[in-house]
Amino acid sequence: MSGMLNSVDQRTQLVGENRLELLLFKLNTTQIFAINVFKVKEILKVPKLTKLPGSHYHISGVASLRGESVPVIDLRGAIGMKPMGNDEESTLIITEYNRTTQGFLVGQVQNIINTTWADIQPPPKTVGRHNFLTAITQVEVEPNTTRIVEIIDVEKVLAEIIEYDISISEGVLDQELVSHMHGRKVLIVDDSSTARTQVRNTLQQLGLEVIERSDGRQALDLLKGWCDEGKVVNDEILLMITDAEMPEMDGYRLTHEIRNDPRMNDLFITLNTSLSGSFNDAMVQKVGCDRFISKFQPDLIVGVVQERLAQII
């Protein structure tokens, strides 16, 4: 199964082209689910798991992988379905999110598809606010037959299990800048409502106002609308904090479009993503972001705001 994953160098060629690869799998149901391949480190048969007394009820146990203890989450149970358990068809997907490594217990892993963010759509509003989907798409399973694929909001899954601390460490705040923050606006762009909430709650501690958009296309339409009205984008917002992976238009393409519009090409853009740091450092240089920070680190978010504010006061 490890052969299913291409090298990181090969897969990074997709980014900046508004494309992505999805790993498709099932949860012992007929429905097809997916996560982004960039966040997958390894796919393997489920090894022996060690139970941890007192751990979260969605944690099936801990796997020992090359000396590293990796918590294993029953993904079926974590998204509100009946827990799946470990059987002969179970597969373990090892992922890296927000600087942590975890495994997801799933059913049959099917294949990897190459698609475009333009074909990725938000889930229908009728599914409610408490679903664990970040997007949906369609794939052709056989000639003239398509199936809906549900893309899991892994950040929301993890937030239900891990307690994220939004407190700002002592000594991080520059008191000379605090008074200049109140009333200024920051644009947050992220398809995960959980991620937006984490960033919003951090920024509001500083007295900042937040404008939210759930994908790059929405954000670009907002910015262009201001420009068309004769407004100066830097007067409307202090900076933009954007995720990398979003339906319709990813954060890299969004940045590219902004940098190529002379009306707003000097907007301060921070890429805030759960993807690996070494990969994104290269992409930041390629597409022209000002900063890259990995999720979720309140002190780094505050640091970026202060850096930008210091440039203009």
Side-chain angles (χ1 to χ4, degrees), residues 36 39 55 63 85 128 136 146 153 178 222 231 239 268 278 285:
N36 195 315
K39 296 176 180 177
S55 62
I136 61 173
T146 60
D153 185 348
V178 170
L222 173 67
K231 296 179 179 179
L239 74 157
F268 193 96
S278 58
Q285 294 181 359

Side-chain angles (χ1 to χ4, degrees), residues 255-287:
T255 300
H256 175 81
E257 295 292 334
I258 292 171
R259 293 295 183 238
N260 283 276
D261 190 327
R263 301 174 299 174
M264 54 179 169
N265 59 10
D266 58 347
L267 175 64
F268 193 96
I269 302 173
T270 296
L271 192 71
N272 182 41
T273 175
S274 54
L275 296 175
S276 64
S278 58
F279 160 69
N280 276 287
D281 289 341
M283 290 309 304
V284 164
Q285 294 181 359
K286 178 180 177 181
V287 301

Side-chain angles (χ1 to χ4, degrees), residues 172-182 184 206 302-303 305-313:
V172 170
L173 272 177
D174 185 337
Q175 296 303 320
E176 294 183 2
L177 295 176
V178 170
S179 62
H180 296 278
M181 295 182 186
H182 290 272
R184 293 184 182 270
L206 309 177
V302 173
V305 170
Q306 294 185 151
E307 177 185 345
R308 173 56 177 158
L309 198 56
Q311 293 176 352
I312 63 174
I313 63 173

Side-chain angles (χ1 to χ4, degrees), residues 44-108:
L44 64 157
K45 282 296 184 183
V46 184
K48 181 179 180 180
L49 302 181
T50 301
K51 293 286 187 179
L52 292 181
S55 62
H56 193 279
Y57 53 89
H58 290 319
I59 301 291
S60 298
V62 172
S64 180
L65 303 176
R66 291 175 291 280
E68 181 181 6
S69 296
V70 177
V72 174
I73 299 168
D74 186 323
L75 188 55
R76 180 181 162 109
I79 64 172
M81 302 169 68
K82 181 180 178 181
M84 186 173 65
N86 187 0
D87 58 33
E88 64 276 3
E89 293 188 0
S90 298
T91 308
L92 188 60
I93 302 175
I94 306 299
T95 66
E96 185 174 358
Y97 282 82
N98 302 352
R99 298 163 293 116
T100 64
T101 299
Q102 53 279 311
F104 289 104
L105 188 65
V106 302
Q108 179 188 17

